[in-house]
Amino acid sequence: MTEIVAGATIDSARRMLASRLSAAGLESPELDARLLVGHALQLDLTGLVMHGQRALSAADITWLEALMQRRLAGEPVARILGTKEFWGLELHLSADTLVPRPDTETVVELALEHLAAGGDLKRPLRIADLGTGSGALLLALLSELPAAYGVGTDISHAALQTARDNARILGLGDRAGFIAGSYASALSPPFDLIVSNPPYIPSREIDDLAIDVRAYDPLRALDGGADGLDAYRALIPQAAQLLQPGGTLVVEVGQGQSEDVAELMRAARLAIDSSAIKADLAGIPRAVRALKKVR
């Protein structure tokens, strides 16, 4: 395999890395190469453009080759960089958190659409994010809801520390709290909005996931049990008890699960309306919303 040669420039090294990633059949080789080079050299996109003709040092080349080998072995770029953008926010990751994915932004969109329709975007809402991981859902919502306060829960203390650090770095720490517990088991009512991206992959399908998921995302955040619905059976009844009348639950679901999850919501005496299911950019039903009826 061709290596980066001595005297290579930033531009030529980036093109070489992109070519190697492409030859390995990895998605987004150009983007991955740019991110890896930028990370290695501590340059943003503007810096890469401005300094594209700068020659790399031997140490630069050694570092880039090491990063490239990690990517070729299947490690996600976000794991290599230690951060991932979600909803325009840069989130730090750890081994105990999922890499936030664009599909999950559908949950944020559906929640905000509902709140906007009710004129609640500036109201002092109380929010819970069950299984918060890096804090992606909670922090995205708090960034859009200036008067809201949120609580994130997780069974992993390490994940909670990552989420807590992200809240502090993003300047949201004074409006976010984090509690150890299984979904909503450690929380007390009332809440206006509850969100969750729980594990929903059926156990038998874990081994078929892409290597960058199955080998690097924590198993507890992926495995949803025999049919992928175990987490929903636990969290939906809990959420129904915590929501105040008129409150909203929004969850992410896997492909083909939206109707089953909606049925679990109905069984918990939550209401599903005609706009309760929202598809992601690929057209896959990805988020399901339910309301607690006002008696």
Side-chain angles (χ1 to χ4, degrees):
M1 182 178 290
T2 304
E3 297 182 350
I4 303 172
V5 299
T9 65
I10 291 175
D11 278 348
S12 65
R14 180 177 51 78
R15 290 193 296 270
M16 177 66 72
L17 266 58
S19 176
R20 289 167 63 179
L21 289 171
S22 179
L26 297 175
E27 295 182 3
S28 308
E30 296 283 348
L31 175 60
D32 286 3
R34 175 171 66 77
L35 291 172
L36 292 176
V37 173
H39 176 67
L41 303 179
Q42 295 298 294
L43 293 173
D44 60 14
L45 178 57
T46 300
L48 291 174
V49 173
M50 290 181 61
H51 302 287
Q53 298 309 306
R54 191 184 91 191
L56 298 178
S57 68
D60 291 335
I61 293 173
T62 298
W63 181 224
L64 277 173
E65 287 287 352
L67 296 182
M68 179 55 48
Q69 291 306 316
R70 290 171 64 181
R71 182 67 188 111
L72 290 171
E75 186 172 355
V77 170
R79 294 285 180 199
I80 298 172
L81 272 56
T83 62
K84 177 69 173 180
E85 183 178 300
F86 181 86
W87 202 258
L89 308 174
E90 185 177 66
L91 298 176
H92 290 259
L93 308 176
S94 69
D96 293 88
T97 63
L98 283 173
V99 174
R101 293 173 172 82
D103 293 345
T104 303
E105 293 187 353
T106 312
V107 174
V108 181
E109 292 170 357
L110 186 56
L112 291 176
E113 287 169 5
H114 175 73
L115 293 174
D120 294 329
L121 294 179
K122 296 183 179 180
R123 196 160 63 84
L125 303 169
R126 193 162 183 246
I127 303 170
D129 177 11
L130 310 182
T132 193
S134 64
L137 286 175
L138 178 62
L139 299 177
L141 287 165
L142 290 179
S143 74
E144 299 285 352
L145 302 168
Y149 178 84
V151 178
T153 71
D154 208 290
I155 60 173
S156 167
H157 288 270
L160 289 172
Q161 187 57 55
T162 301
R164 191 176 292 113
D165 289 344
N166 281 326
R168 174 182 53 79
I169 292 167
L170 293 169
L172 298 169
D174 60 341
R175 294 196 288 124
F178 298 93
I179 298 175
S182 177
Y183 301 119
S185 61
L187 300 181
S188 300
F191 283 89
D192 301 284
L193 172 65
I194 298 176
V195 295
S196 184
N197 175 22
Y200 55 69
I201 307 298
S203 302
R204 65 184 180 279
E205 297 178 11
I206 298 293
D207 289 342
D208 297 325
L209 296 173
I211 188 172
D212 59 348
V213 176
R214 72 173 187 271
Y216 294 96
D217 277 339
L219 180 62
R220 64 169 182 80
L222 298 173
D223 193 341
D227 62 358
L229 300 177
D230 282 0
Y232 302 102
R233 294 189 182 96
L235 75 86
I236 289 173
Q238 292 177 359
Q241 293 299 313
L242 289 175
L243 286 171
Q244 68 174 354
T248 307
L249 170 65
V250 186
V251 299
E252 179 171 339
V253 298
Q255 187 168 3
Q257 294 178 331
S258 59
E259 292 299 335
D260 289 333
V261 170
E263 191 55 40
L264 290 172
M265 290 173 163
R266 293 186 186 97
R269 307 188 74 176
L270 296 174
I272 302 288
D273 62 27
S274 59
S275 59
I277 299 175
K278 185 175 180 66
D280 60 24
L281 293 176
I284 298 170
R286 185 62 64 187
V288 183
R289 186 193 69 226
L291 309 178
K292 186 166 185 176
K293 296 178 183 178
V294 178
R295 296 180 179 176

